[in-house]
Amino acid sequence: SLAYYKTISDAYDILQNQLGSLNDDSTLSNALTDLETAFEALTTGTSKSVDTATAIEAATSFFNKLNALSDKIQNQRLASDQEISEDIKIVQDCRDRIESLNAQIVKVKAGGITSTADLEDLRDAAIKEISTYIDIDYYENATGAMNIYTKSGIFLLGNEALDITHEAAGAMSAY
């Protein structure tokens, strides 16, 4: 669905920004190359104190960049997790709305007195909103209630309603 691809795209953009471009001297890759060069100089060079200081500086730079990348990744994981939690709440609210509208539509159709077009329009809008978050299929049963299930076959709303929940993590860690 669109929400899934947006989340993935945002994560890739943040990772790409952190990794930098190939022409950028401040990338993690360049820091690793600098570290490798410093270690080579340390093993083959004649000025051990200068080569040692250069190696320590290169190692510090590389690990600072690696830690910064790790922090960015953990922050992105946390943001994505929180976004998932918010999206699931929206889907759950829509599903609850559809369940309520189903009950009203079934009741009105059973009485045969008035049109259910306005209620069905509201229900269709909620179904459309759910479909922006997850891939669904749906059909109206004989009583007029709408059954909704995921493309993988999990019923979100049928004879019983499935509660959709996700608790976002308070923090993320690479450890």
Side-chain angles (χ1 to χ4, degrees):
S1 73
L2 182 59
Y4 169 80
Y5 292 114
K6 181 188 177 309
T7 301
I8 296 295
S9 176
D10 290 349
Y12 283 146
D13 287 346
I14 288 170
L15 185 59
Q16 179 62 42
N17 287 338
Q18 188 63 29
L19 290 174
S21 68
L22 294 175
N23 299 330
D24 186 0
D25 289 338
S26 65
T27 64
L28 183 63
S29 175
N30 285 339
L32 182 58
T33 300
D34 291 347
L35 179 60
E36 179 185 19
T37 302
F39 279 142
E40 285 174 2
L42 186 60
T43 60
T44 61
T46 56
S47 179
K48 294 292 183 194
S49 63
V50 172
D51 293 339
T52 301
T54 302
I56 289 171
E57 185 179 309
T60 300
S61 175
F62 173 73
F63 286 110
N64 285 341
K65 289 181 186 315
L66 191 60
N67 284 334
L69 177 60
S70 177
D71 289 345
K72 284 280 190 184
I73 290 170
Q74 298 318 314
N75 288 337
Q76 180 57 39
R77 286 179 60 207
L78 181 60
S80 294
D81 191 54
Q82 290 169 340
E83 188 175 329
I84 289 167
S85 183
E86 291 167 9
D87 290 350
I88 287 176
K89 286 178 186 172
I90 292 169
V91 169
Q92 180 66 33
D93 289 345
C94 289
R95 195 216 40 93
D96 291 346
R97 209 170 343 138
I98 294 166
E99 183 178 31
S100 173
L101 290 164
N102 272 348
Q104 294 172 53
I105 290 168
V106 167
K107 186 175 181 179
V108 170
K109 282 189 174 190
I113 299 171
T114 61
S115 170
T116 59
D118 290 340
L119 295 172
E120 289 174 7
D121 288 345
L122 292 171
R123 183 177 67 186
D124 290 345
I127 290 169
K128 183 176 181 180
E129 187 172 357
I130 286 177
S131 72
T132 64
Y133 293 96
I134 55 178
D135 292 329
I136 59 170
D137 282 322
Y138 51 93
Y139 64 92
E140 188 173 306
N141 67 23
T143 66
M146 192 66 71
N147 292 324
I148 303 171
Y149 55 97
T150 66
K151 292 283 186 178
S152 60
I154 299 171
F155 265 95
L156 300 177
L157 185 60
N159 292 336
E160 294 182 19
L162 173 69
D163 285 331
I164 307 164
T165 61
H166 175 74
E167 292 297 322
M172 292 280 179
S173 171
Y175 307 107

